[in-house]
Amino acid sequence: MSVDIRHSAATHAGAIRRENQDALLCRPDIGLFLVADGAGGHRDGALAAARVVSSAAALDARASPTARLSALRQRLGQLHDSLLDEIDIRDDRSGTASTVVALLLDRHFFACLWAGDSRIYLLRDGALIRLTHDHSVVQELIDSGALDAQEAEQHREAHVITRAVGAGTTQLMLDKRVGQVMPYDRFLLCSDGLTKSLDEALIQRCLEQGGNAARTLIEAALRHKARDNITAVVVATE
């Protein structure tokens, strides 16, 4: 890992729930950062999120960035297959599933991989850019023009995701976005508990404060009575 980076990370069960089904991974030595959110409505969501993290944690530090990206895809795909096989063995439709967002950084470029409604943002030159696109029922309705973003927040299926590791299609479908890394970039990886508690203007203000930005975001979400688990990983380049 050759780019100079700083990071902070924090997770919390939230103001309502007792169990935290989120998980995170920070491997600055190989430029890998990840957030997983055990899928609501699925059994053992915390276990699924933990398995996503353990699958990603063992990437080879000696591999090139391209090889690490390919290996991460492969590992998550294998875990997806394994979780689906376990559903067949149990004959249990509830299953075990998790969202995932992953950020891979090297000296010049970044790559995002994701499935579900956890997100990655980029704060650059005073603008907050969402790098990911939610895989959810309400996002599909927004894309089709059937709902606007404000209506989507109150929709009865606001919690329903259309992709996850361990649920959905037979083959895991991960979206990817790549771009160039710039000095003073600030990336945020977060679960949907954070974005449902804070609007993007407040998220940007928290990121701009500096210091332990992840903790600042979690504290802000708790002040807003976060109803879901909340996780934030903030990665800043220098």
Side-chain angles (χ1 to χ4, degrees):
M1 184 60 195
S2 54
V3 68
D4 292 327
I5 57 174
R6 295 176 291 106
H7 75 278
S8 59
T11 187
H12 194 283
I16 304 297
R17 299 192 176 183
R18 294 184 178 182
E19 181 185 15
N20 190 352
Q21 294 192 346
D22 289 357
L24 62 87
L25 174 67
C26 297
R27 287 284 309 274
D29 57 313
I30 60 173
L32 172 63
F33 301 88
L34 181 148
V35 167
D37 177 1
H42 291 269
R43 187 173 65 185
D44 298 332
L47 175 61
R51 289 175 70 177
V52 168
V53 165
S54 62
S55 293
L59 291 182
D60 187 352
R62 298 166 298 179
S64 69
T66 300
R68 287 199 298 271
L69 181 63
S70 177
L72 179 60
R73 275 188 175 276
Q74 182 178 24
R75 285 178 175 274
L76 293 174
Q78 290 170 343
L79 175 59
H80 179 76
D81 294 343
S82 177
L83 292 173
L84 291 181
D85 288 344
E86 290 170 17
I87 294 174
D88 292 337
I89 291 170
R90 292 195 308 263
D91 192 24
D92 181 353
R93 289 188 175 185
S94 63
T96 302
S98 175
T99 72
V100 61
V101 286
L103 173 70
L104 279 160
L105 293 170
D106 69 7
R107 178 184 290 274
H108 301 294
F109 299 99
F110 69 82
C112 305
L113 289 178
W114 74 96
D117 60 357
S118 296
R119 293 179 181 175
I120 301 179
Y121 288 91
L122 170 61
L123 179 63
R124 175 182 287 174
D125 296 332
L128 186 68
I129 306 160
R130 191 199 302 182
L131 297 178
T132 57
H133 192 73
D134 292 352
H135 301 135
S136 67
V137 169
V138 294
Q139 186 62 61
E140 290 180 353
L141 292 171
I142 291 170
D143 293 344
S144 71
L147 285 180
D148 62 30
Q150 201 166 27
E151 292 171 329
E153 292 179 4
Q154 307 302 322
H155 196 275
R156 64 182 181 277
E157 294 187 319
H159 64 290
V160 180
I161 56 176
T162 55
R163 294 190 205 176
V165 180
T169 57
T170 302
Q171 182 177 3
L172 178 62
M173 298 175 64
L174 292 168
D175 279 355
K176 180 178 76 170
R177 182 165 178 173
V178 298
Q180 187 173 1
V181 174
M182 303 292 290
Y184 312 113
D185 279 346
R186 186 161 292 190
F187 296 89
L188 167 65
L189 294 78
C190 60
S191 59
D192 71 319
L194 186 79
T195 53
K196 288 176 180 174
S197 303
L198 306 178
D199 62 28
E200 292 184 355
L202 182 50
I203 288 172
Q204 179 168 347
R205 290 199 295 272
C206 290
L207 289 173
E208 290 173 339
Q209 289 180 23
N212 190 326
R215 184 172 62 191
T216 299
L217 286 159
I218 297 300
E219 290 173 351
L222 290 172
R223 287 195 298 272
H224 284 74
K225 308 298 183 185
R227 300 184 62 82
D228 199 354
N229 306 151
I230 42 178
T231 297
V233 174
V234 179
V235 184
T237 64
E238 298 179 346

